[in-house]
Amino acid sequence: MKLDSTNPGQKYSLHATRKKDMETMGLPFPREWNRENFNLPPNWKEVALAKLDELRRKYRELQLFFDICVACGACADKCPFFIATKDPHNMPVARQELLRSVYRRYFTTAGRMFKGLAGGRELTEKLIHDWYIYFYQCSQCRRCAVFCPYGIDTAVFTMAAREVMTAIGLTPRSLTESIAKCEVVGNHMGMQPAAMLNSISFAEEEIKEETGIEVHVPINKKGAEILFIAPSADFFGEPHWLTFKGYLKLFHQIGLDYTMSTYASEGGNFGTWLNYEHMKKINRKIMKEAERLGVKWILGGECGHMWRVLHAYMGTMNVNPEFLEEPISPITGTRFKNASYSKAVHVCEFTADLIRHQKLRLDHSKNDQYVVTFSDSCNPARFMGLIEEPRYILQNVCKNFVEIDPSVNRERTICCTAGGGLLSDETLELRLRAIKPKVDAIRETGANFLALVCAIDKAVYPEYFKHYGLQTQVGGVHELVGNALVMT
Amino acid sequence: MDAITYTVTIVLPYVTLGIFCLGVTYRIINWLTQPMPIHWILYPGSRTQIGGNSSRTLLEILSFRSIFQGEKKLWTTAWLFHLTLAIILLGHVRVFTDFPQLWSTLGLTEKNVDWLALVVGGSAGIISLVTLSVLLARRLTIPEVKAISDIADFLLPALLLAIVITGDSLRFLTALQLDEIRRYFAGLATFSYNVIPQNPVFLTHFLLVQLLMICLPFSKIMHFVGLLFNLRTVHGW
């Protein structure tokens, strides 16, 4: 694969956070700045190096990955952004090297003595500009880590570099706008509790019109068994909305004792992509609300990075959730051992278990007009191994299910390329180029319905298909479940 | 024995061994004692930390399967190189001592063992020379691999290459008396010093190996320990 030494990746840089939002969020060094002129504080270098030193002592994986990469190159052409741009800095190992070289220069004996000869690099403002570009051209999808013999994970570097950049006041607007809304109003969409209630009652009405059945959604109900969390896009996004109705129909049909919350109205967590502090802050609301409502465990909707936080990080991030119990399905009695650490169950696991125990009456003829395919999302696939469950559900709710070429799907998936804070107009062209291998693979399947389990996937695929001229419809797994479910 | 010979042949080996052992231990303890405040999971991984993760890691070490699924050419050379390296390291035990008891239990004569060492060790020597050269050539010729290589990525393979070349010439081109070398190492082990064999190729080989052992704890060759700390786990199902 040829390299493009003109660094085409330099074109795609995210807009700066407004001073007002920096103040709202309590970010360091609130000031006017833009992506060309960072207007860095005078002591930025000391702050950045102190932060990097703190991080490498705090995270074993970061220190380890700094030390053991042998630059074998197995990851080089696995990154969708490298495939799209051929920019040398977009090779996962080269992206890591932007940070690793600084670590070598300032924190290893050889680097302090021999500098460049030991693979070290001075921390300059020019390098910080490269960080701001290339660490925001990583969607933290971790495809590279699957191919690395040591499992070295570029997301670890990306998170660390963003943490350092946040400490010196460099944060992109695409993230902070949503995080500020989430921390002030309650969710990334900036939706007030009343709007959420409104939205839910609309869903109830629509289900009544479609099926004639009266569905009642419990809200802020103390003492419910389960707290149901969904990404806020599900409340009115298109095509998320149909998936949302799918959940509600399902829960009504099986008589689940659950509640939704207007306080924990956001499952997603854009803070994950900025720094630890804001990830923890946003996640904390779910824990607080689970404790206040006295639920036993948490059921989560179709979302990508939400599952990264819920499944992997939540167990240690906000005090081990000891007031919660190991999830047991009230309908089938199945104990979800995989969730005993985090007490959060993915709705696909839950539904797959219901189908397995034949608790649902399904009529796939409602989905017969579709040839359905399923695209794995990076976080559910690589952070929790949720690969078979959605497929099991789809094979039960529709007749025509086809697979995408596994070289860009399953654990090797190239997913939406819009995660990690890249969901913005500045990166649209980059994303369209990066998604091409996946879109080609979807076109080859001949499917006319693409089922997804990620809110960002659902938001961006219609745009990608429009660009590449595919007629494929986009929707959620539980949209198809909702269609096929025979309600009584 | 003059001062220089004494320092190089008697003192240096102890220093080397000391740096190597302490260095590697320090690195391992450094990694082990660092916290992991957030949990990292990487799928495909194993579902149980103890049984599954160890067997998965072992399989990864033996087969390099992550590279296999991505880069077949790289896998062939890298796997063969590491395999022959392991064979060579194992074979070097005989440089220090012999196991007549073991050979007679296995029904092998001294001659059989020497012949076996020549065939297996000799071919391992050749294969490691070839694969190492290919790996080095790969760094120089493939643009994206060249772009990610820094100076250490060339120096370390070059040092290894020099060690393999001198080692191979000891095996194939030199009439080396193993007894003499064993006496020398036995002397070091029992602090009753014997004269080092005066073969220039052997001396070069021995000094280069010591240089490698001194650099190793502070270099990326530590990946052979680091890969034991991988993330490839998923929560138990």
Side-chain angles (χ1 to χ4, degrees), chain A residues 1 56 60-61 67 70-72 78 142 148 312 316 338 382, chain B residues 27 31 34-35 37 39-41 43 71 138-139 144 232 236:
Chain A
M1 196 169 280
R56 73 171 182 110
R60 179 196 293 175
E61 60 278 4
D67 292 335
V70 297
C72 72
K78 306 298 183 290
R142 311 164 90 223
C148 175
T316 53
N338 56 313
R382 285 188 278 262
Chain B
R27 292 302 292 276
W31 287 331
Q34 272 186 317
H39 200 114
W40 284 86
I41 297 167
Y43 189 88
E71 300 274 330
R138 183 177 164 272
R139 284 216 181 276
E144 70 251 40
R232 292 182 194 276

PDB file of all heavy atoms in Angstrom, chain A residues 1 56 60-61 67 70-72 78 142 148 312 316 338 382, chain B residues 27 31 34-35 37 39-41 43 71 138-139 144 232 236:
ATOM      1  N   MET A   1       0.833  -1.199   0.000  1.00  0.00           N
ATOM      2  CA  MET A   1       0.000   0.000   0.000  1.00  0.00           C
ATOM      3  C   MET A   1       0.876   1.260   0.000  1.00  0.00           C
ATOM      4  O   MET A   1       1.780   1.366   0.807  1.00  0.00           O
ATOM      5  CB  MET A   1      -0.911  -0.007   1.226  1.00  0.00           C
ATOM      6  CG  MET A   1      -2.043   0.962   1.103  1.00  0.00           C
ATOM      7  SD  MET A   1      -3.272   0.715   2.384  1.00  0.00           S
ATOM      8  CE  MET A   1      -4.181  -0.684   1.735  1.00  0.00           C
ATOM      9  N   ARG A  56       0.788   7.970  32.607  1.00  0.00           N
ATOM     10  CA  ARG A  56       1.546   6.732  32.413  1.00  0.00           C
ATOM     11  C   ARG A  56       1.751   6.014  33.746  1.00  0.00           C
ATOM     12  O   ARG A  56       1.949   4.813  33.786  1.00  0.00           O
ATOM     13  CB  ARG A  56       2.880   7.011  31.723  1.00  0.00           C
ATOM     14  CG  ARG A  56       3.871   7.682  32.630  1.00  0.00           C
ATOM     15  CD  ARG A  56       5.243   7.756  32.011  1.00  0.00           C
ATOM     16  NE  ARG A  56       6.154   8.372  32.945  1.00  0.00           N
ATOM     17  CZ  ARG A  56       7.129   7.725  33.572  1.00  0.00           C
ATOM     18  NH1 ARG A  56       7.336   6.461  33.356  1.00  0.00           N
ATOM     19  NH2 ARG A  56       7.896   8.353  34.420  1.00  0.00           N
ATOM     20  N   ARG A  60      -1.702   1.179  33.695  1.00  0.00           N
ATOM     21  CA  ARG A  60      -0.706   0.171  33.357  1.00  0.00           C
ATOM     22  C   ARG A  60      -0.638  -0.063  31.859  1.00  0.00           C
ATOM     23  O   ARG A  60       0.435  -0.165  31.276  1.00  0.00           O
ATOM     24  CB  ARG A  60      -1.031  -1.153  34.052  1.00  0.00           C
ATOM     25  CG  ARG A  60      -0.045  -2.231  33.706  1.00  0.00           C
ATOM     26  CD  ARG A  60      -0.565  -3.610  34.067  1.00  0.00           C
ATOM     27  NE  ARG A  60      -0.686  -3.776  35.503  1.00  0.00           N
ATOM     28  CZ  ARG A  60      -1.207  -4.863  36.081  1.00  0.00           C
ATOM     29  NH1 ARG A  60      -1.623  -5.858  35.342  1.00  0.00           N
ATOM     30  NH2 ARG A  60      -1.293  -4.956  37.381  1.00  0.00           N
ATOM     31  N   GLU A  61      -1.831  -0.134  31.229  1.00  0.00           N
ATOM     32  CA  GLU A  61      -1.841  -0.466  29.811  1.00  0.00           C
ATOM     33  C   GLU A  61      -1.088   0.589  28.985  1.00  0.00           C
ATOM     34  O   GLU A  61      -0.415   0.254  28.017  1.00  0.00           O
ATOM     35  CB  GLU A  61      -3.272  -0.668  29.305  1.00  0.00           C
ATOM     36  CG  GLU A  61      -4.219   0.513  29.439  1.00  0.00           C
ATOM     37  CD  GLU A  61      -4.842   0.651  30.825  1.00  0.00           C
ATOM     38  OE1 GLU A  61      -4.476  -0.142  31.709  1.00  0.00           O
ATOM     39  OE2 GLU A  61      -5.675   1.549  31.025  1.00  0.00           O
ATOM     40  N   ASP A  67       5.990   0.703  25.996  1.00  0.00           N
ATOM     41  CA  ASP A  67       7.252  -0.025  26.052  1.00  0.00           C
ATOM     42  C   ASP A  67       7.388  -1.151  25.040  1.00  0.00           C
ATOM     43  O   ASP A  67       8.479  -1.428  24.576  1.00  0.00           O
ATOM     44  CB  ASP A  67       7.441  -0.615  27.462  1.00  0.00           C
ATOM     45  CG  ASP A  67       7.670   0.465  28.505  1.00  0.00           C
ATOM     46  OD1 ASP A  67       8.136   1.546  28.119  1.00  0.00           O
ATOM     47  OD2 ASP A  67       7.385   0.229  29.685  1.00  0.00           O
ATOM     48  N   VAL A  70       6.871  -3.342  18.882  1.00  0.00           N
ATOM     49  CA  VAL A  70       8.090  -3.525  18.108  1.00  0.00           C
ATOM     50  C   VAL A  70       7.939  -2.970  16.686  1.00  0.00           C
ATOM     51  O   VAL A  70       8.812  -3.182  15.853  1.00  0.00           O
ATOM     52  CB  VAL A  70       8.508  -5.011  18.031  1.00  0.00           C
ATOM     53  CG1 VAL A  70       8.836  -5.537  19.398  1.00  0.00           C
ATOM     54  CG2 VAL A  70       7.441  -5.848  17.364  1.00  0.00           C
ATOM     55  N   ALA A  71       6.845  -2.261  16.434  1.00  0.00           N
ATOM     56  CA  ALA A  71       6.606  -1.673  15.113  1.00  0.00           C
ATOM     57  C   ALA A  71       6.690  -2.713  14.010  1.00  0.00           C
ATOM     58  O   ALA A  71       7.377  -2.529  13.014  1.00  0.00           O
ATOM     59  CB  ALA A  71       7.565  -0.509  14.845  1.00  0.00           C
ATOM     60  N   CYS A  72       5.994  -3.846  14.193  1.00  0.00           N
ATOM     61  CA  CYS A  72       6.036  -4.909  13.176  1.00  0.00           C
ATOM     62  C   CYS A  72       5.216  -4.522  11.957  1.00  0.00           C
ATOM     63  O   CYS A  72       5.447  -5.019  10.869  1.00  0.00           O
ATOM     64  CB  CYS A  72       5.547  -6.232  13.748  1.00  0.00           C
ATOM     65  SG  CYS A  72       3.772  -6.316  14.066  1.00  0.00           S
ATOM     66  N   LYS A  78      -4.749  -1.585   8.682  1.00  0.00           N
ATOM     67  CA  LYS A  78      -6.027  -2.065   9.185  1.00  0.00           C
ATOM     68  C   LYS A  78      -6.945  -0.919   9.609  1.00  0.00           C
ATOM     69  O   LYS A  78      -8.121  -1.124   9.847  1.00  0.00           O
ATOM     70  CB  LYS A  78      -5.815  -3.003  10.378  1.00  0.00           C
ATOM     71  CG  LYS A  78      -4.865  -4.165  10.105  1.00  0.00           C
ATOM     72  CD  LYS A  78      -5.382  -5.072   9.009  1.00  0.00           C
ATOM     73  CE  LYS A  78      -4.499  -6.280   8.765  1.00  0.00           C
ATOM     74  NZ  LYS A  78      -3.207  -5.953   8.146  1.00  0.00           N
ATOM     75  N   ARG A 142     -10.744   0.318  17.600  1.00  0.00           N
ATOM     76  CA  ARG A 142      -9.872  -0.773  18.043  1.00  0.00           C
ATOM     77  C   ARG A 142      -9.767  -1.916  17.055  1.00  0.00           C
ATOM     78  O   ARG A 142      -9.491  -3.042  17.428  1.00  0.00           O
ATOM     79  CB  ARG A 142     -10.345  -1.315  19.401  1.00  0.00           C
ATOM     80  CG  ARG A 142     -10.589  -0.230  20.414  1.00  0.00           C
ATOM     81  CD  ARG A 142     -11.397  -0.709  21.558  1.00  0.00           C
ATOM     82  NE  ARG A 142     -10.560  -1.221  22.618  1.00  0.00           N
ATOM     83  CZ  ARG A 142     -10.814  -2.332  23.280  1.00  0.00           C
ATOM     84  NH1 ARG A 142     -11.838  -3.062  22.979  1.00  0.00           N
ATOM     85  NH2 ARG A 142     -10.034  -2.724  24.231  1.00  0.00           N
ATOM     86  N   CYS A 148      -3.077  -6.953  16.321  1.00  0.00           N
ATOM     87  CA  CYS A 148      -1.786  -6.814  17.007  1.00  0.00           C
ATOM     88  C   CYS A 148      -1.497  -8.067  17.827  1.00  0.00           C
ATOM     89  O   CYS A 148      -2.336  -8.515  18.594  1.00  0.00           O
ATOM     90  CB  CYS A 148      -1.802  -5.605  17.937  1.00  0.00           C
ATOM     91  SG  CYS A 148      -0.293  -5.475  18.905  1.00  0.00           S
ATOM     92  N   ALA A 312     -17.571  -2.289  30.418  1.00  0.00           N
ATOM     93  CA  ALA A 312     -16.166  -2.422  30.790  1.00  0.00           C
ATOM     94  C   ALA A 312     -15.771  -1.509  31.950  1.00  0.00           C
ATOM     95  O   ALA A 312     -15.104  -1.933  32.876  1.00  0.00           O
ATOM     96  CB  ALA A 312     -15.286  -2.131  29.582  1.00  0.00           C
ATOM     97  N   THR A 316     -15.724  -0.213  37.918  1.00  0.00           N
ATOM     98  CA  THR A 316     -14.728   0.397  38.796  1.00  0.00           C
ATOM     99  C   THR A 316     -14.844   1.912  38.836  1.00  0.00           C
ATOM    100  O   THR A 316     -14.321   2.550  39.735  1.00  0.00           O
ATOM    101  CB  THR A 316     -13.293   0.070  38.324  1.00  0.00           C
ATOM    102  OG1 THR A 316     -13.179   0.424  36.960  1.00  0.00           O
ATOM    103  CG2 THR A 316     -12.983  -1.387  38.519  1.00  0.00           C
ATOM    104  N   ASN A 338     -22.327 -12.791  32.496  1.00  0.00           N
ATOM    105  CA  ASN A 338     -21.424 -11.843  31.853  1.00  0.00           C
ATOM    106  C   ASN A 338     -21.591 -10.441  32.409  1.00  0.00           C
ATOM    107  O   ASN A 338     -20.703  -9.616  32.306  1.00  0.00           O
ATOM    108  CB  ASN A 338     -21.681 -11.814  30.353  1.00  0.00           C
ATOM    109  CG  ASN A 338     -23.121 -11.494  30.053  1.00  0.00           C
ATOM    110  OD1 ASN A 338     -24.014 -12.070  30.649  1.00  0.00           O
ATOM    111  ND2 ASN A 338     -23.349 -10.546  29.180  1.00  0.00           N
ATOM    112  N   ARG A 382     -16.209  -5.488  19.940  1.00  0.00           N
ATOM    113  CA  ARG A 382     -14.857  -5.687  20.466  1.00  0.00           C
ATOM    114  C   ARG A 382     -14.730  -5.419  21.955  1.00  0.00           C
ATOM    115  O   ARG A 382     -13.778  -5.866  22.577  1.00  0.00           O
ATOM    116  CB  ARG A 382     -13.860  -4.828  19.679  1.00  0.00           C
ATOM    117  CG  ARG A 382     -13.574  -5.396  18.310  1.00  0.00           C
ATOM    118  CD  ARG A 382     -12.463  -4.673  17.616  1.00  0.00           C
ATOM    119  NE  ARG A 382     -12.896  -3.454  16.984  1.00  0.00           N
ATOM    120  CZ  ARG A 382     -13.201  -3.348  15.687  1.00  0.00           C
ATOM    121  NH1 ARG A 382     -13.100  -4.386  14.915  1.00  0.00           N
ATOM    122  NH2 ARG A 382     -13.577  -2.197  15.179  1.00  0.00           N
TER     123      ARG A 382
ATOM    124  N   ARG B  27      11.578  -4.221  35.276  1.00  0.00           N
ATOM    125  CA  ARG B  27      10.527  -3.901  34.304  1.00  0.00           C
ATOM    126  C   ARG B  27       9.243  -4.642  34.635  1.00  0.00           C
ATOM    127  O   ARG B  27       8.143  -4.080  34.581  1.00  0.00           O
ATOM    128  CB  ARG B  27      10.980  -4.250  32.882  1.00  0.00           C
ATOM    129  CG  ARG B  27      12.105  -3.388  32.364  1.00  0.00           C
ATOM    130  CD  ARG B  27      11.779  -1.917  32.363  1.00  0.00           C
ATOM    131  NE  ARG B  27      10.754  -1.570  31.405  1.00  0.00           N
ATOM    132  CZ  ARG B  27      10.999  -1.331  30.122  1.00  0.00           C
ATOM    133  NH1 ARG B  27      12.222  -1.366  29.654  1.00  0.00           N
ATOM    134  NH2 ARG B  27      10.034  -1.033  29.304  1.00  0.00           N
ATOM    135  N   TRP B  31       5.626  -2.942  35.760  1.00  0.00           N
ATOM    136  CA  TRP B  31       4.327  -3.134  35.102  1.00  0.00           C
ATOM    137  C   TRP B  31       3.295  -3.696  36.077  1.00  0.00           C
ATOM    138  O   TRP B  31       2.148  -3.272  36.108  1.00  0.00           O
ATOM    139  CB  TRP B  31       4.475  -4.087  33.904  1.00  0.00           C
ATOM    140  CG  TRP B  31       5.166  -3.480  32.730  1.00  0.00           C
ATOM    141  CD1 TRP B  31       5.171  -2.165  32.386  1.00  0.00           C
ATOM    142  CD2 TRP B  31       5.948  -4.155  31.751  1.00  0.00           C
ATOM    143  NE1 TRP B  31       5.909  -1.980  31.234  1.00  0.00           N
ATOM    144  CE2 TRP B  31       6.400  -3.186  30.821  1.00  0.00           C
ATOM    145  CE3 TRP B  31       6.312  -5.473  31.545  1.00  0.00           C
ATOM    146  CZ2 TRP B  31       7.187  -3.497  29.722  1.00  0.00           C
ATOM    147  CZ3 TRP B  31       7.096  -5.790  30.447  1.00  0.00           C
ATOM    148  CH2 TRP B  31       7.534  -4.810  29.549  1.00  0.00           C
ATOM    149  N   GLN B  34       1.688  -1.268  38.629  1.00  0.00           N
ATOM    150  CA  GLN B  34       0.905  -0.118  38.187  1.00  0.00           C
ATOM    151  C   GLN B  34      -0.578  -0.420  38.237  1.00  0.00           C
ATOM    152  O   GLN B  34      -0.998  -1.536  37.965  1.00  0.00           O
ATOM    153  CB  GLN B  34       1.320   0.283  36.784  1.00  0.00           C
ATOM    154  CG  GLN B  34       2.482   1.252  36.829  1.00  0.00           C
ATOM    155  CD  GLN B  34       2.810   1.768  35.476  1.00  0.00           C
ATOM    156  OE1 GLN B  34       2.844   1.012  34.523  1.00  0.00           O
ATOM    157  NE2 GLN B  34       3.059   3.037  35.378  1.00  0.00           N
ATOM    158  N   PRO B  35      -1.390   0.583  38.580  1.00  0.00           N
ATOM    159  CA  PRO B  35      -2.831   0.338  38.698  1.00  0.00           C
ATOM    160  C   PRO B  35      -3.515   0.219  37.343  1.00  0.00           C
ATOM    161  O   PRO B  35      -2.957   0.605  36.318  1.00  0.00           O
ATOM    162  CB  PRO B  35      -3.327   1.579  39.443  1.00  0.00           C
ATOM    163  CG  PRO B  35      -2.335   2.635  39.127  1.00  0.00           C
ATOM    164  CD  PRO B  35      -1.022   1.963  38.906  1.00  0.00           C
ATOM    165  N   PRO B  37      -7.081   1.440  36.645  1.00  0.00           N
ATOM    166  CA  PRO B  37      -8.341   1.968  37.176  1.00  0.00           C
ATOM    167  C   PRO B  37      -9.556   1.673  36.308  1.00  0.00           C
ATOM    168  O   PRO B  37     -10.667   1.616  36.813  1.00  0.00           O
ATOM    169  CB  PRO B  37      -8.092   3.472  37.281  1.00  0.00           C
ATOM    170  CG  PRO B  37      -6.928   3.748  36.411  1.00  0.00           C
ATOM    171  CD  PRO B  37      -6.113   2.501  36.343  1.00  0.00           C
ATOM    172  N   HIS B  39     -11.257  -0.949  33.321  1.00  0.00           N
ATOM    173  CA  HIS B  39     -11.139  -2.298  32.814  1.00  0.00           C
ATOM    174  C   HIS B  39     -11.090  -2.262  31.289  1.00  0.00           C
ATOM    175  O   HIS B  39     -11.927  -1.632  30.661  1.00  0.00           O
ATOM    176  CB  HIS B  39     -12.397  -3.035  33.273  1.00  0.00           C
ATOM    177  CG  HIS B  39     -12.245  -4.506  33.272  1.00  0.00           C
ATOM    178  ND1 HIS B  39     -12.279  -5.238  34.430  1.00  0.00           N
ATOM    179  CD2 HIS B  39     -12.056  -5.380  32.268  1.00  0.00           C
ATOM    180  CE1 HIS B  39     -12.115  -6.504  34.132  1.00  0.00           C
ATOM    181  NE2 HIS B  39     -11.981  -6.621  32.836  1.00  0.00           N
ATOM    182  N   TRP B  40     -10.098  -2.912  30.706  1.00  0.00           N
ATOM    183  CA  TRP B  40     -10.048  -2.998  29.242  1.00  0.00           C
ATOM    184  C   TRP B  40     -10.364  -4.414  28.827  1.00  0.00           C
ATOM    185  O   TRP B  40      -9.858  -5.362  29.395  1.00  0.00           O
ATOM    186  CB  TRP B  40      -8.683  -2.596  28.713  1.00  0.00           C
ATOM    187  CG  TRP B  40      -8.498  -1.133  28.754  1.00  0.00           C
ATOM    188  CD1 TRP B  40      -8.049  -0.404  29.805  1.00  0.00           C
ATOM    189  CD2 TRP B  40      -8.778  -0.197  27.718  1.00  0.00           C
ATOM    190  NE1 TRP B  40      -8.037   0.915  29.485  1.00  0.00           N
ATOM    191  CE2 TRP B  40      -8.470   1.084  28.216  1.00  0.00           C
ATOM    192  CE3 TRP B  40      -9.263  -0.312  26.413  1.00  0.00           C
ATOM    193  CZ2 TRP B  40      -8.629   2.235  27.451  1.00  0.00           C
ATOM    194  CZ3 TRP B  40      -9.410   0.834  25.663  1.00  0.00           C
ATOM    195  CH2 TRP B  40      -9.103   2.092  26.183  1.00  0.00           C
ATOM    196  N   ILE B  41     -11.198  -4.518  27.821  1.00  0.00           N
ATOM    197  CA  ILE B  41     -11.601  -5.820  27.322  1.00  0.00           C
ATOM    198  C   ILE B  41     -11.340  -5.805  25.826  1.00  0.00           C
ATOM    199  O   ILE B  41     -11.589  -4.802  25.173  1.00  0.00           O
ATOM    200  CB  ILE B  41     -13.104  -6.032  27.570  1.00  0.00           C
ATOM    201  CG1 ILE B  41     -13.383  -6.043  29.066  1.00  0.00           C
ATOM    202  CG2 ILE B  41     -13.578  -7.322  26.929  1.00  0.00           C
ATOM    203  CD1 ILE B  41     -14.850  -5.936  29.385  1.00  0.00           C
ATOM    204  N   TYR B  43     -12.159  -8.199  22.456  1.00  0.00           N
ATOM    205  CA  TYR B  43     -12.688  -9.395  21.837  1.00  0.00           C
ATOM    206  C   TYR B  43     -12.097  -9.496  20.438  1.00  0.00           C
ATOM    207  O   TYR B  43     -11.965  -8.486  19.782  1.00  0.00           O
ATOM    208  CB  TYR B  43     -14.217  -9.321  21.777  1.00  0.00           C
ATOM    209  CG  TYR B  43     -14.851 -10.603  21.344  1.00  0.00           C
ATOM    210  CD1 TYR B  43     -15.168 -11.580  22.265  1.00  0.00           C
ATOM    211  CD2 TYR B  43     -15.079 -10.855  19.996  1.00  0.00           C
ATOM    212  CE1 TYR B  43     -15.722 -12.775  21.869  1.00  0.00           C
ATOM    213  CE2 TYR B  43     -15.625 -12.049  19.597  1.00  0.00           C
ATOM    214  CZ  TYR B  43     -15.952 -13.003  20.531  1.00  0.00           C
ATOM    215  OH  TYR B  43     -16.493 -14.191  20.132  1.00  0.00           O
ATOM    216  N   GLU B  71      -1.579 -10.743   8.332  1.00  0.00           N
ATOM    217  CA  GLU B  71      -0.444 -10.601   7.427  1.00  0.00           C
ATOM    218  C   GLU B  71       0.259 -11.947   7.281  1.00  0.00           C
ATOM    219  O   GLU B  71       1.117 -12.300   8.077  1.00  0.00           O
ATOM    220  CB  GLU B  71       0.558  -9.587   8.012  1.00  0.00           C
ATOM    221  CG  GLU B  71       0.007  -8.192   8.230  1.00  0.00           C
ATOM    222  CD  GLU B  71       0.097  -7.348   6.987  1.00  0.00           C
ATOM    223  OE1 GLU B  71       1.028  -7.571   6.191  1.00  0.00           O
ATOM    224  OE2 GLU B  71      -0.770  -6.487   6.804  1.00  0.00           O
ATOM    225  N   ARG B 138      12.631  -6.037   4.957  1.00  0.00           N
ATOM    226  CA  ARG B 138      11.260  -5.575   4.934  1.00  0.00           C
ATOM    227  C   ARG B 138      11.169  -4.153   5.497  1.00  0.00           C
ATOM    228  O   ARG B 138      10.471  -3.294   4.962  1.00  0.00           O
ATOM    229  CB  ARG B 138      10.453  -6.563   5.777  1.00  0.00           C
ATOM    230  CG  ARG B 138       8.998  -6.331   5.844  1.00  0.00           C
ATOM    231  CD  ARG B 138       8.346  -7.433   6.652  1.00  0.00           C
ATOM    232  NE  ARG B 138       7.016  -7.033   7.028  1.00  0.00           N
ATOM    233  CZ  ARG B 138       6.723  -6.356   8.126  1.00  0.00           C
ATOM    234  NH1 ARG B 138       7.668  -6.032   8.970  1.00  0.00           N
ATOM    235  NH2 ARG B 138       5.490  -5.993   8.380  1.00  0.00           N
ATOM    236  N   ARG B 139      11.885  -3.905   6.571  1.00  0.00           N
ATOM    237  CA  ARG B 139      11.894  -2.557   7.162  1.00  0.00           C
ATOM    238  C   ARG B 139      12.450  -1.518   6.201  1.00  0.00           C
ATOM    239  O   ARG B 139      12.075  -0.357   6.252  1.00  0.00           O
ATOM    240  CB  ARG B 139      12.769  -2.536   8.414  1.00  0.00           C
ATOM    241  CG  ARG B 139      12.115  -3.166   9.585  1.00  0.00           C
ATOM    242  CD  ARG B 139      12.457  -2.476  10.889  1.00  0.00           C
ATOM    243  NE  ARG B 139      11.789  -3.176  11.970  1.00  0.00           N
ATOM    244  CZ  ARG B 139      10.538  -2.951  12.335  1.00  0.00           C
ATOM    245  NH1 ARG B 139       9.831  -2.001  11.769  1.00  0.00           N
ATOM    246  NH2 ARG B 139       9.982  -3.667  13.293  1.00  0.00           N
ATOM    247  N   GLU B 144       5.453   1.647   4.132  1.00  0.00           N
ATOM    248  CA  GLU B 144       4.772   1.957   5.395  1.00  0.00           C
ATOM    249  C   GLU B 144       5.535   1.409   6.601  1.00  0.00           C
ATOM    250  O   GLU B 144       5.507   1.993   7.674  1.00  0.00           O
ATOM    251  CB  GLU B 144       3.310   1.520   5.391  1.00  0.00           C
ATOM    252  CG  GLU B 144       3.055   0.044   5.414  1.00  0.00           C
ATOM    253  CD  GLU B 144       2.509  -0.441   4.086  1.00  0.00           C
ATOM    254  OE1 GLU B 144       2.995   0.051   3.045  1.00  0.00           O
ATOM    255  OE2 GLU B 144       1.615  -1.306   4.089  1.00  0.00           O
ATOM    256  N   ARG B 232      -6.700  -9.319  26.119  1.00  0.00           N
ATOM    257  CA  ARG B 232      -7.685 -10.162  25.450  1.00  0.00           C
ATOM    258  C   ARG B 232      -8.524 -10.989  26.408  1.00  0.00           C
ATOM    259  O   ARG B 232      -8.342 -12.183  26.559  1.00  0.00           O
ATOM    260  CB  ARG B 232      -6.991 -11.084  24.451  1.00  0.00           C
ATOM    261  CG  ARG B 232      -6.410 -10.326  23.290  1.00  0.00           C
ATOM    262  CD  ARG B 232      -5.784 -11.255  22.297  1.00  0.00           C
ATOM    263  NE  ARG B 232      -4.962 -10.516  21.370  1.00  0.00           N
ATOM    264  CZ  ARG B 232      -5.434  -9.907  20.290  1.00  0.00           C
ATOM    265  NH1 ARG B 232      -6.693  -9.973  20.012  1.00  0.00           N
ATOM    266  NH2 ARG B 232      -4.617  -9.247  19.509  1.00  0.00           N
ATOM    267  N   GLY B 236     -16.870 -13.192  31.907  1.00  0.00           N
ATOM    268  CA  GLY B 236     -17.369 -14.567  31.828  1.00  0.00           C
ATOM    269  C   GLY B 236     -18.840 -14.649  31.460  1.00  0.00           C
ATOM    270  O   GLY B 236     -19.633 -13.822  31.878  1.00  0.00           O
TER     271      GLY B 236
END
